[in-house]
Amino acid sequence: MNDGMPAATKNATMTKADIVERIYEKVGFSKKEASEVVESIFEIIKSRLEHGDKVKISGFGNFVVNQKRPRKGRNPQTGEEIIITGRKVLTFKASQVLKKTINPS
Amino acid sequence: MTTNPTPGGGSMTKRDLIDEVVKIYPRFSGRDAEVIVNAVFDSMTEALARGERIEIRGFGSFVVKHRQAREGRNPKTGAVVPVAAKRVPFFKVGKELKLRVDGKPVPESEREASQGA
């Protein structure tokens, strides 16, 4: 699939360290301070999601916890019928702004 | 598929997140916290726009998937309309957060603190 993206950036991965670098450059904290605050931001989000809250980041997207009901499934190896227990799962819905930004026209 | 929002769940906005940051770091002004929180999500948006993956340990990863151009239909009129190729962002929840959201204990090996950055 050729979408005109330079090959060099195609497989690059951004990590927390790269975000920390950005904060460090932009805000002028020490690296340690920038790293701490980035860590805190993700921890705040995680603990809210853990409590079943929605997290809505305007311009980026919404993180929502959904309750799944138990359902019947099958062990694909043995064909044995099993009950898949109910569980809570996290889904992310990208905002229109994010979708537009990654699809420049 | 049965997906319903968790009953009784509240919600947090970016504004609330900024306020929480100020609570934890009283030395930051609201404006500082706003700049920081925006910088986090702006840098993530820019990475995705460059076609990069994002991996936040303990949280999850974001990837951009490519959807090829296809012929769609206007559901009202049945007319065939071309749908252009596009890039779609996807999130995959990390192990630690997946367990935490489901109320399960997180094994030591999946705690992000034990894995470094």
Side-chain angles (χ1 to χ4, degrees):
Chain A
M1 235 181 310
N2 182 6
D3 48 28
M5 251 198 288
T9 64
K10 231 185 153 171
N11 298 313
T13 301
M14 165 178 264
T15 63
K16 220 166 353 191
D18 299 309
I19 299 174
V20 167
E21 191 68 30
R22 163 74 171 255
I23 305 292
Y24 168 73
E25 284 164 8
K26 189 158 182 147
V27 191
F29 293 160
S30 70
K31 282 244 170 97
K32 185 169 174 285
E33 218 171 9
S35 165
E36 254 180 54
V37 69
V38 169
E39 205 63 63
S40 299
I41 287 169
F42 286 107
E43 188 48 47
I44 293 165
I45 296 172
K46 286 193 281 186
S47 67
R48 294 297 288 256
L49 293 171
E50 187 173 14
H51 291 109
D53 292 348
K54 252 187 220 173
V55 176
K56 304 193 282 193
I57 308 296
S58 65
F60 190 74
N62 296 346
F63 296 91
V64 184
V65 178
N66 286 307
Q67 176 71 53
K68 296 272 197 180
R69 284 192 214 126
R71 62 190 168 90
K72 275 186 194 157
R74 218 174 260 284
N75 179 329
Q77 240 138 58
T78 64
E80 186 194 355
E81 213 171 75
I82 47 170
I83 298 290
I84 297 168
T85 54
R87 62 194 68 199
K88 286 181 192 159
V89 298
L90 176 61
T91 54
F92 172 69
K93 190 162 182 280
S95 78
Q96 285 305 321
V97 177
L98 176 58
K99 287 184 194 168
K100 281 219 175 100
T101 310
I102 67 171
N103 284 288
S105 49
Chain B
M1 288 274 268
T2 54
T3 59
N4 301 308
T6 317
S11 84
M12 168 184 249
T13 61
K14 192 161 78 179
R15 184 75 251 162
D16 300 327
L17 176 58
I18 291 163
D19 293 344
E20 289 272 331
V21 171
V22 175
K23 257 190 231 164
I24 300 175
Y25 300 95
R27 65 182 184 280
F28 296 161
S29 68
R31 179 68 197 143
D32 290 338
E34 189 178 354
V35 168
I36 296 163
V37 169
N38 282 333
V40 169
F41 292 104
D42 288 351
S43 60
M44 289 167 72
T45 300
E46 286 161 21
L48 293 174
R50 290 191 300 264
E52 296 178 17
R53 295 167 49 82
I54 304 172
E55 275 180 30
I56 308 294
R57 194 153 281 172
F59 189 79
S61 56
F62 296 85
V63 291
V64 176
K65 291 188 183 172
H66 302 258
R67 293 272 172 269
Q68 276 177 310
R70 62 187 172 87
E71 281 186 349
R73 255 172 213 284
N74 179 328
K76 273 202 186 115
T77 64
V80 175
V81 284
V83 178
K86 62 182 166 193
R87 303 177 195 168
V88 189
F90 268 89
F91 172 67
K92 184 168 184 264
V93 62
K95 280 183 202 153
E96 181 203 331
L97 183 55
K98 186 177 184 175
L99 291 166
R100 284 176 64 176
V101 161
D102 199 24
K104 301 276 193 320
V106 179
E108 198 59 47
S109 60
E110 296 302 338
R111 291 218 182 112
E112 84 186 301
S114 67
Q115 301 188 8

